[in-house]
Amino acid sequence: MSSASTAPRTFTLSDFDFELPELLIAQHPAPQRSGSRLLDGRTAPPTDRIFRELPDLLQPGDLLVFNDTRVVKARVFGEKASGGKLELLIERVLTGNEVVAHMKVSKKPLPGATLHLAGGAAAGGFDATLLGRYPDADGPLFRLALRGPAGESPWELMERHGHLPLPPYIERQQAGGNDPHAGEDSERYQTVFARAPGAVAAPTAALHFDDAVLARLAERGIERASVTLHVGAGTFQPVKTENLAEHRMHSEWYEVPLATLAALERCRQRGGRVVAVGTTTVRTLESWAASGQAAGDTSIFITPGFQFQVVDLLLTNFHLPKSTLMMLVSAFAGYEHIMHLYRHAVAQRYRFFSYGDCMLLERPRA
């Protein structure tokens, strides 16, 4: 296993590619959350396990850190005044009634245009005014002011009229949000401890936890803490530059509560290990360690050679080829080791991506 603390060569985008049969991309969750498969990748060769075995793989005194973000119904369908169809994916709620969103539309409307969402106010929906681009005049996102008929907040309008924004590789969601599996998704594309609304994608490694596993962890003397990182749609954006240094990472808002900072200190004092549940938790904890800021925006880009300061173990799902998340796990556990684990996962027909299986990784010591 190669060391995660040094980069033996300059990595390019092609290094993180691999062959993935399409049938391994999970379109539905496992029948039971904790019944998914767990690849124990702490050693080579790895061990095939079931997720409910996780508590026995950790040690009393370890600290599990979760991302408690909650996925919101951020996908909203509507039309322009001309009748042209459009789709919004609301990425962030600003102050007042303003939001920032991605927009799918054949011809982009101009600032000042009125958009009729969920049928528009006249048909029981609501309207929006396009204010401009975001974060600047040439930004990729759009800033809008929402107008509910009864002065509802953006959160209320999304909850009432929006749809859960499933990842693009879950292909069964139909235009207009008429998805026969919407009920299943509303429960299973949300962690059992989701608290803070604001994400457009779930922290998927945490989807495997259920009450029985959480109870077993507590019995084992394994402490729990949480951070918040509102996962943005940028997590699905492909890396388009072969030179990784040219990639512009998306920005996401995070917070590390005082209670979690205290739990981290207790863990270190007793010699425990910090176990991050998901790459979003890694990005949050390492952003805090690098900046000293317990809350703010992060665009941290973790590639091989990154110096980890907080996280000792990582529980994570299997990621897309050539993605920034493949680069993160390679930085954490070593590039050659990760590529070996992925070859094993494909050969053993593990289920990939958001509704798929997961693996447990340990950071090599220098």
Side-chain angles (χ1 to χ4, degrees):
M1 193 186 314
S2 63
S3 169
S5 61
T6 58
R9 68 172 193 264
T10 299
F11 288 91
T12 63
L13 180 61
S14 299
D15 290 319
F16 301 94
D17 198 9
F18 62 92
E19 289 293 328
L20 178 65
E22 188 173 344
L23 59 84
L24 297 185
I25 301 174
Q27 296 295 309
H28 298 272
Q32 294 181 322
R33 288 180 185 266
S34 60
S36 53
R37 298 171 72 189
L38 169 63
L39 181 59
D40 186 351
R42 295 173 298 168
T43 59
T47 304
D48 300 305
R49 301 184 185 274
I50 300 298
F51 184 81
R52 63 176 62 96
E53 299 176 49
L54 177 68
D56 295 321
L57 307 182
L58 304 180
Q59 301 169 2
D62 285 346
L63 174 66
L64 268 174
V65 185
F66 297 95
N67 181 3
D68 66 5
T69 189
R70 185 173 188 83
V71 184
V72 295
K73 295 179 179 179
R75 193 178 186 211
V76 183
F77 299 93
E79 58 187 33
K80 299 184 291 184
S82 63
K85 302 297 183 182
L86 62 87
E87 176 186 332
L88 295 183
L89 182 59
I90 297 175
E91 176 94 8
R92 184 177 298 199
V93 174
L94 303 177
T95 56
N97 65 339
E98 292 188 12
V99 301
V100 172
H102 302 261
M103 185 186 302
K104 280 186 182 179
V105 65
S106 58
K107 183 178 180 181
K108 297 291 191 296
L110 297 175
T114 296
L115 310 180
H116 304 297
L117 302 172
F126 64 102
D127 295 330
T129 300
L130 178 60
L131 303 177
R133 296 280 186 140
Y134 184 91
D136 51 43
D138 299 314
L141 303 180
F142 295 83
R143 187 165 61 93
L144 305 106
L146 308 187
R147 300 193 305 278
E152 298 94 332
S153 71
W155 302 110
E156 292 170 319
L157 292 172
M158 283 188 283
E159 181 62 30
R160 187 175 304 164
H161 302 289
H163 304 270
L164 205 65
L166 292 181
Y169 44 74
I170 295 181
E171 300 172 350
R172 54 187 166 71
Q173 192 172 37
Q174 301 171 14
N178 299 316
D179 184 355
H181 302 280
E184 174 189 58
D185 293 321
S186 66
E187 177 190 358
R188 295 298 301 277
Y189 195 64
Q190 202 81 266
T191 66
V192 297
F193 37 74
R195 181 194 60 83
V200 301
T204 55
L207 295 178
H208 307 283
F209 288 84
D210 56 22
D211 291 338
V213 169
L214 294 173
R216 177 68 180 134
L217 288 164
E219 292 171 3
R220 288 269 295 158
I222 297 162
E223 192 177 0
R224 287 170 51 191
S226 63
V227 297
T228 304
L229 182 137
H230 291 322
V231 190
T235 191
F236 302 116
Q237 294 300 313
V239 180
K240 299 179 179 179
T241 61
E242 191 68 15
N243 180 355
L244 303 185
E246 296 175 359
H247 177 65
R248 182 180 177 185
M249 195 69 175
H250 59 285
S251 178
E252 294 165 317
W253 183 89
Y254 75 93
E255 180 181 14
V256 185
L258 287 175
T260 298
L261 295 176
L264 290 165
E265 181 59 26
R266 288 195 302 273
C267 181
R268 290 302 186 207
Q269 291 292 333
R270 63 178 175 255
R273 302 172 301 175
V274 175
V275 186
V277 179
T279 55
T280 60
T281 299
V282 173
R283 297 183 71 237
T284 302
L285 292 175
E286 298 296 338
S287 294
W288 159 70
S291 68
Q293 301 296 314
D297 284 283
T298 180
S299 55
I300 191 171
F301 186 19
I302 298 177
T303 57
F306 182 84
Q307 300 294 321
F308 290 89
Q309 300 182 61
V310 182
V311 180
D312 301 303
L313 284 92
L314 168 61
L315 184 76
T316 182
N317 279 21
F318 294 95
H319 304 295
L320 280 73
K322 302 169 77 170
S323 64
T324 61
L325 302 182
M326 276 294 293
M327 299 166 198
L328 185 153
V329 296
S330 297
F332 186 82
Y335 172 77
E336 296 294 345
H337 184 55
I338 287 295
M339 299 310 287
H340 171 74
L341 293 178
Y342 271 67
R343 287 191 293 271
H344 177 93
V346 170
Q348 297 301 315
R349 301 176 69 85
Y350 274 73
R351 302 168 74 243
F352 275 66
F353 307 163
S354 294
Y355 273 152
D357 300 312
C358 62
M359 61 179 172
L360 180 65
L361 304 173
E362 186 168 17
R363 179 162 58 95
R365 296 300 178 184

